[in-house]
Amino acid sequence: DAGVIQSPRHEVTEMGQEVTLRCKPISGHDYLFWYRQTMMRGLELLIYFNNNVPIDDSGMPEDRFSAKMPNASFSTLKIQPSEPRDSAVYFCASSPRRSRGLLYEKLFFGSGTQLSVL
Amino acid sequence: AQTVTQSQPEMSVQEAETVTLSCTYDTSESDYYLFWYKQPPSRQMILVIRQEAYKQQNATENRFSVNFQKAAKSFSLKISDSQLGDAAMYFCAYRSPSDPGNQFYFGTGTSLTVIP
């Protein structure tokens, strides 16, 4: 399995522009998470999906942020318009569902997208 | 929400020596999982070790071991015979089966430097 795939690896954009980050979770995983990592706040959970349905988006900082998961193999995180304070590393992660009453607990991360908003 | 605290923003260790990274957490649950993730400069998050709360025996993975103190809600990571490749950010994380959101809660990380 190729693991969780994120693109692009690096994104440099100007303030006000729209940014779209992409994620392909591991096949068969039912949960997908978007995290943001900064020096000041560490890893913050932005939103997560279960079976393509957004469950909790309370971590999304503002209306400028939106996330979608149109199918089990693809998710996007969009920032429109972007601002310099959005500069961070954005991680996507996926996890299998509980199986046979046991919690399969491992979280699989992508390699992240380094976003720089100038 | 659960809280995970890593009180050491930075640590350093001499190559071949042993270092211990601290982690405490707050929960009212009795069944949960604890993890240590490593993030090298490549950014990739790598699972180092995990511990099930119902197991009294401390988990070990080669040079990595944990000291799990359930009553004290403490979960420290010991790295023995430190190597240059151990230099990274280390994150402690918590997850509970009773959490309907299946969420992981992460600490703020400890940056480990290995001195040759």
Side-chain angles (χ1 to χ4, degrees):
Chain A
D1 197 317
V4 177
I5 300 173
Q6 289 187 250
S7 65
R9 183 162 176 80
H10 302 276
E11 177 78 30
V12 181
T13 190
E14 293 187 347
M15 183 174 63
Q17 296 298 305
E18 178 179 295
V19 175
T20 299
L21 312 181
R22 297 172 176 80
C23 175
K24 176 180 169 55
I26 294 173
S27 177
H29 282 193
D30 289 357
Y31 287 89
L32 184 140
F33 303 82
W34 281 100
Y35 286 90
R36 178 172 67 178
Q37 184 181 27
T38 60
M39 289 293 292
M40 293 295 294
R41 296 187 174 186
L43 275 166
E44 299 175 277
L45 178 64
L46 300 177
I47 186 172
Y48 73 92
F49 296 83
N50 182 18
N51 292 323
N52 314 336
V53 177
I55 303 300
D56 185 355
D57 64 354
S58 59
M60 297 284 262
E62 303 171 31
D63 291 344
R64 298 183 296 106
F65 285 70
S66 63
K68 294 181 180 179
M69 192 166 185
N71 57 62
S73 60
F74 184 65
S75 178
T76 59
L77 178 67
K78 185 177 294 186
I79 308 172
Q80 167 62 22
S82 58
E83 296 183 3
R85 60 194 169 119
D86 301 332
S87 298
V89 178
Y90 291 81
F91 283 100
C92 175
S94 70
S95 178
R97 65 178 172 84
R98 302 175 190 193
S99 176
R100 295 195 299 272
L102 299 176
L103 180 64
Y104 189 57
E105 68 278 8
K106 190 173 177 179
L107 190 62
F108 297 79
F109 282 86
S111 54
T113 295
Q114 173 77 60
L115 174 63
S116 297
V117 183
L118 307 177
Chain B
Q2 316 302 336
T3 57
V4 178
T5 302
Q6 293 180 250
S7 58
Q8 307 154 315
E10 298 179 342
M11 292 282 286
S12 62
V13 62
Q14 206 76 32
E15 192 176 5
E17 296 296 311
T18 296
V19 65
T20 299
L21 309 183
S22 301
C23 173
T24 59
Y25 57 94
D26 183 27
T27 184
S28 57
E29 303 291 340
S30 60
D31 185 21
Y32 49 87
Y33 295 84
L34 297 164
F35 311 84
W36 279 98
Y37 276 86
K38 170 185 177 181
Q39 186 182 39
S42 67
R43 283 204 321 249
Q44 185 68 49
M45 295 284 279
I46 303 165
L47 178 65
V48 174
I49 197 166
R50 68 183 185 210
Q51 174 82 41
E52 292 95 329
Y54 63 85
K55 289 187 177 179
Q56 294 186 345
Q57 186 174 9
N58 289 325
T60 62
E61 289 287 344
N62 300 314
R63 297 182 296 105
F64 298 87
S65 61
V66 298
N67 183 6
F68 173 48
Q69 302 289 328
K70 191 171 184 178
K73 297 179 183 176
S74 171
F75 182 62
S76 60
L77 174 69
K78 185 171 82 171
I79 306 175
S80 304
D81 186 26
S82 297
Q83 301 176 359
L84 295 177
D86 296 333
M89 281 287 287
Y90 286 82
F91 292 94
C92 179
Y94 164 101
R95 189 186 204 190
S96 171
S98 64
D99 185 330
N102 214 26
Q103 289 192 44
F104 283 72
Y105 297 91
F106 287 88
T108 51
T110 297
S111 178
L112 178 66
T113 300
V114 180
I115 304 166

